[in-house]
Amino acid sequence: MAYTHKHFQAIEEYQPGDRWLAHYHAALPAYRQWFASEGEIKRPGLAQCHAAMQTHMPEMVPLWERLVALTGADETDARLLTFYCPAVSVSGCSQAVWTRYTPTLVRNYDFAPDYCEGRILKTCWHGTQVIASTDCLWGVLDGMNEHGLSVSMAFGGKEAVAPGFGIALILRYVLEFCTTVEAAVKVLQRVPAHMAYNVTVLDATGQVRTVELEPQQAARCSARPMAVNHQGEFELTNYAMFSHSYERQQSILGKLSDPLCNVEAFVNAFEYGPLRSTNYAQGFGTLYTAIYNPQLRAMEYRWPNRERMYQSFAAFDERDVWVELA
């Protein structure tokens, strides 16, 4: 059996500084390669990127300008940092909310190990503390803010691409400036995403929504407390078949409707098939399981071999974790 080794870090840095900058310089070559993978001519110019941010996420512009100044980014890297109309990126993921008694958002992040940043970052960039798994240098794969608002995303399974932002930057915007599911849904309906994604949001009151984003289509919002890698009841796409999206959906629905299932059993199910995938060679292996409890303002991260990390806004533990992903 082949094993893939992966390093994860939990870091507390309230404002972008030396540690964020070190990560930026280490990760930038790979992001530059991705940025130019379809030909740089396909990426919008700096003025267009800046205008898009100013139109759709104006509160984020001052931070983007600070990051550009901190990094000494040239025009190309400044464009990259907006993540407006980025190159195509496809991931897997299963996510669901346990809604009985203690609402809890659980997600598996399925992707290629080499392209996962492996950082759990605690920040306070706009006066709100955020703990999130990072992507796109300053974006979010999943996370929670100090108000208990929790978010997670999964690829929507469709190949269409249109002008819009990378989903990681949109989720960062949600956690920086929203406190409730209602506010988060309004942002997700307003800010264009460049590809199809399913976003599940949960807040401290127990409100939960899943928003299906599709390029150049109106966002679809429902009370369904889960999402995998297709949209609607089931759409037979090549990616849905490759990722076993329907099988994962049925597994989650079965657990959610089982009167004998409790939250612990529900969370544990994400560590086994069909929800957990070992297809790392094709970029579809489970890299971690994240569990967010908005009422406690706390979260847990899980890896194979019972490797665990517990974090909260009250007690954040900076640490490194090396895991073997079978």
Side-chain angles (χ1 to χ4, degrees), residues 145-160:
N145 66 24
E146 64 179 87
H147 305 289
L149 181 65
S150 304
V151 300
S152 176
M153 68 86 182
F155 175 56
K158 300 179 180 180
E159 298 178 357

Side-chain angles (χ1 to χ4, degrees), residues 53 60 63-64 67 81 83 125 135-139 169 172:
M53 285 200 71
M60 294 272 277
L63 178 58
W64 169 72
L67 296 179
L81 278 169
F83 288 94
W125 289 347
D135 190 45
C136 294
L137 299 169
W138 60 308
L169 204 63
R172 169 63 70 181

Side-chain angles (χ1 to χ4, degrees), residues 184-212:
V185 168
K186 288 180 179 178
V187 167
L188 293 167
Q189 291 174 328
R190 176 175 59 81
V191 180
H194 82 123
M195 295 186 70
Y197 288 98
N198 302 324
V199 180
T200 300
V201 288
L202 169 69
D203 65 23
T205 70
Q207 289 295 308
V208 58
R209 294 290 185 273
T210 292
V211 182
E212 295 181 347

Side-chain angles (χ1 to χ4, degrees), residues 156 158 198 212 220 224 228 230-235 249:
K158 300 179 180 180
N198 302 324
E212 295 181 347
R220 298 177 294 276
R224 171 171 277 196
V228 281
H230 63 268
Q231 297 184 331
E233 289 302 316
F234 182 65
E235 185 172 352
Q249 179 193 63

Side-chain angles (χ1 to χ4, degrees), residues 223-272:
R224 171 171 277 196
M226 61 150 296
V228 281
N229 298 128
H230 63 268
Q231 297 184 331
E233 289 302 316
F234 182 65
E235 185 172 352
L236 190 63
T237 65
N238 289 336
Y239 194 79
M241 290 188 290
F242 161 75
S243 65
H244 302 289
S245 187
Y246 182 73
E247 292 87 341
R248 289 183 286 121
Q249 179 193 63
Q250 294 305 108
S251 176
I252 292 172
L253 290 174
K255 294 290 189 300
L256 289 174
S257 62
D258 184 352
L260 300 180
C261 188
N262 58 26
V263 64
E264 182 177 358
F266 179 70
V267 171
N268 290 342
F270 282 74
E271 298 186 80
Y272 302 94

